[in-house]
Amino acid sequence: MSDLGSEELEEEGENDLGEYEGDRNEAGERHGHGKARLPNGDTYEGSYEYGKRHGQGTYKFKNGARYIGEYVRNKKHGHGTFIYPDGSRYEGEWADDQRHGQGVYYYVNNDTYTGEWYAHQRHGQGTYFYAETGSKYVGSWVHGQQEGAAELIHLNHRYQGKYLNKNPVGPGKYVFDIGCEQHGEYRLTDVERGEEEEEEETLVTVIPKWKASKITELALWTPTLLEEPPPANVLPGQEEALATEGGEEPAEEAQPLVDVLEGENDLSKAGDEDGDLPREEGREFGRDDFRYDPGEQGNISFEEEETRQSDMPE
């Protein structure tokens, strides 16, 4: 994680007034809007009150840094933007010349921190975005360091746990986008880095080491259907009889939908092979099923047609 791009720059002291062009009050003090060029080469343009920078103004340092925001009695106080010489900048709240409150810091490597500040340091709840990897730390900060409950979010998984001095410690878990979670804990391990020849002291650094304990699978959510209560007048022994009378069949005797569809396909194929026409089940065709159309048969009734057929010579 990249640190702050620049240390805070000091502005010209109160006694070094330099050149001034602008409004004054009856006492001759700088009061109102004015421009000042200080002896060290810095410049200020903005509001004054009783000889001090007070209100909205822009302070430009000779090294290229500048502050655009609110002042209270010569100190940055309120909302303002500070652009540092290396190109990094802070936009947010100030108090007594320090970053204090809510603010966003844009680092020179394109990382960003958005959250709470206290006495010029990241302190409270905040989110640090790593531009190179796309990961981000969302959680607690103490005096500029990652400390407390937090979540480190990567592109396809995330870690949830606690941090101490920028390192994860204690129980936590990795949550993967595929739906499983790996539970475990981070244990601090000492690692030797090298030896100092003169002092003959071994430099030791502490790194966290992950020890997994279990993996849990994705738990699919299924809706729970409410069972209908039996009628109030039904005795306990009569519930099964009522279910049978209602025409309900046991679940194990129900034929799967796939088998039914396959059976229907077989029947349709058999009918096509034999040349049979589909018949309505449970019904036979008889004489009453045929109806003559008077327009096509010349208004001849069924009885007349039958008599005419019997009179024809064999």
Side-chain angles (χ1 to χ4, degrees):
M1 180 180 66
S2 64
D3 202 352
L4 298 182
S6 306
E7 294 295 331
E8 187 58 73
L9 304 176
E10 294 184 0
E11 298 180 5
E12 188 70 20
E14 297 182 12
N15 297 328
D16 299 327
L17 298 179
E19 301 175 0
Y20 175 76
E21 178 182 346
D23 300 332
R24 296 179 181 273
N25 58 12
E26 296 179 356
E29 300 173 318
R30 302 177 181 180
H31 192 89
H33 185 82
K35 298 178 181 180
R37 181 178 181 84
L38 294 88
N40 66 350
D42 296 348
T43 61
Y44 172 80
E45 181 177 358
S47 298
Y48 281 89
E49 187 174 283
Y50 301 107
K52 299 181 182 297
R53 295 183 293 274
H54 191 91
Q56 189 72 24
T58 299
Y59 192 104
K60 294 181 179 180
F61 297 83
K62 62 181 180 180
N63 61 2
R66 63 185 182 274
Y67 170 80
I68 305 169
E70 296 178 290
Y71 277 91
V72 173
R73 297 181 64 82
N74 270 357
K75 292 185 177 181
K76 295 182 287 293
H77 194 97
H79 191 276
T81 299
F82 198 107
I83 302 173
Y84 296 88
D86 62 358
S88 61
R89 74 182 189 275
Y90 169 80
E91 299 178 2
E93 298 176 346
W94 296 77
D96 197 22
D97 252 355
Q98 294 182 327
R99 295 181 290 268
H100 191 92
Q102 291 287 335
V104 182
Y105 199 107
Y106 300 89
Y107 298 88
V108 67
N109 63 350
N110 293 325
D111 290 359
T112 59
Y113 170 81
T114 305
E116 296 179 289
W117 295 79
Y118 179 83
H120 232 38
Q121 292 182 321
R122 299 180 292 260
H123 189 89
Q125 294 296 313
T127 299
Y128 192 100
F129 174 74
Y130 300 86
E132 183 177 0
T133 62
S135 303
K136 60 182 177 180
Y137 171 93
V138 182
S140 180
W141 297 75
V142 176
H143 300 303
Q145 302 294 335
Q146 299 170 350
E147 185 170 326
E151 184 176 32
L152 185 60
I153 304 174
H154 302 284
L155 295 180
N156 58 358
H157 69 282
R158 63 187 63 197
Y159 173 76
Q160 298 173 348
K162 290 186 178 180
Y163 282 74
L164 180 64
N165 293 329
K166 301 188 297 183
N167 293 321
V169 294
K173 66 177 181 180
Y174 281 93
V175 182
F176 298 90
D177 291 351
I178 59 176
C180 65
E181 299 178 354
Q182 185 184 74
H183 299 256
E185 64 175 331
Y186 270 104
R187 299 176 181 177
L188 298 180
T189 306
D190 295 340
V191 177
E192 295 184 359
R193 297 180 56 186
E195 295 182 357
E196 291 287 342
E197 296 180 357
E198 298 180 357
E199 301 178 358
E200 295 183 355
E201 294 182 357
T202 302
L203 297 178
V204 178
T205 182
V206 178
I207 63 171
K209 187 176 181 180
W210 173 253
K211 182 176 179 60
S213 59
K214 65 178 180 178
I215 297 178
T216 59
E217 297 180 353
L218 174 64
L220 295 177
W221 177 84
T222 55
T224 302
L225 300 179
L226 298 177
E227 298 182 357
E228 296 183 1
N233 298 331
V234 176
L235 298 177
Q238 297 177 344
E239 296 179 0
E240 185 175 354
L242 288 176
T244 304
E245 292 177 1
E248 297 181 358
E249 297 181 357
E252 60 272 11
E253 297 180 3
Q255 187 178 3
L257 179 59
V258 177
D259 295 340
V260 174
L261 294 176
E262 291 178 354
E264 292 178 357
N265 294 334
D266 293 339
L267 290 176
S268 62
K269 292 179 181 179
D272 294 341
E273 292 175 358
D274 298 339
D276 295 337
L277 295 176
R279 298 178 60 188
E280 186 175 353
E281 185 178 356
R283 179 179 178 186
E284 297 181 356
F285 290 99
R287 194 173 70 175
D288 293 337
D289 293 311
F290 295 93
R291 295 290 183 269
Y292 283 82
D293 188 353
E296 296 181 358
Q297 302 297 329
N299 298 328
I300 300 176
S301 64
F302 184 84
E303 289 78 6
E304 292 176 351
E305 178 65 21
E306 189 177 32
T307 303
R308 188 174 66 176
Q309 293 291 337
S310 61
D311 293 340
M312 293 181 64
E314 296 182 359

